[in-house]
Amino acid sequence: RRRRYSSYRGEPDERPANVPRERAEARRAAGEDFAADHDFSAAAPGELAVTDVTEFAMDGYRCYLSPLIDLFDGMPCSWGLSTHPDSALCDGSLGAYLDSLPEGASPVVHTDGGGPYRAGSWKAACSLRGVTRSMSRPGRSGDNAPAEGFFGTLKTEMFDGRDWAGVGLEEFRGE
């Protein structure tokens, strides 16, 4: 049998705690009847957000979307779009999100374990702005379910089934 391909090569640095998972465990330990594996709830805007990157195959090119989704209401509060899924894309959407929050806000931002969220620029921005980093476990897309769910809804309602032939990046950005 052929061995299945895996790009996972081990942890490049220390992985931050998985805050939504820890919150769920704490609620169960406190005696609450809480059955979910993760607590993706937020009592106020700017408390907990999730982010990830998704790809759109366009007419002759690919583009990448990086939104930050506030879990108070599940709405994207900032986003970046680029032809490269790199740190600049993710750092830009994080900066826009943090700029939209009131002075002194210190949110938790939950991500997957991708390279842009382990880059020095991401860590520095989080440290400088008082963001608590939270990260999914390797190979567990359910650990970032709100972001994945947002992508599914977005692609079903806006992208799939439409003819994107001849649509450039800036026109797509406007859509």
Side-chain angles (χ1 to χ4, degrees):
R1 270 171 74 151
R2 295 179 83 181
R3 219 169 67 179
R4 235 176 100 187
Y5 173 77
S6 173
S7 64
Y8 183 68
R9 299 285 180 250
E11 297 293 316
D13 59 3
E14 188 174 334
R15 183 177 288 265
N18 186 332
V19 173
R21 178 171 280 280
E22 289 179 350
R23 288 172 49 174
E25 291 169 0
R27 289 180 71 175
R28 283 191 295 276
E32 284 188 51
D33 184 21
F34 192 81
D37 287 340
H38 301 83
D39 182 0
F40 286 118
S41 63
E47 181 181 293
L48 175 62
V50 296
T51 188
D52 203 351
V53 176
T54 193
E55 177 185 271
F56 293 93
M58 301 301 289
D59 187 25
Y61 68 98
R62 297 183 185 280
C63 64
Y64 302 89
L65 174 70
S66 173
L68 267 99
I69 301 153
D70 194 311
L71 295 182
F72 174 69
D73 58 6
M75 298 297 292
C77 31
S78 72
W79 56 276
L81 187 69
S82 174
T83 54
H84 303 284
D86 56 13
S87 293
L89 170 66
C90 297
D91 294 350
S93 58
L94 174 66
Y97 170 66
L98 296 174
D99 289 346
S100 74
L101 298 177
E103 188 71 32
S106 55
V108 173
V109 176
H110 185 76
T111 68
D112 64 9
Y117 311 118
R118 291 178 167 226
S121 58
W122 179 272
K123 292 177 189 178
C126 288
S127 178
L128 183 67
R129 302 285 295 269
V131 173
T132 300
R133 293 174 56 225
S134 172
M135 195 172 281
S136 301
R137 296 169 298 164
R140 301 288 183 111
S141 61
D143 280 0
N144 204 11
E148 301 296 340
F150 173 77
F151 292 149
T153 301
L154 176 69
K155 288 182 177 185
T156 299
E157 293 182 1
M158 180 258 194
F159 187 75
D160 294 341
R162 287 178 65 180
D163 181 12
W164 295 98
V167 174
L169 182 65
E170 290 311 312
E171 186 179 349
F172 184 65
R173 184 184 315 275
E175 289 290 324

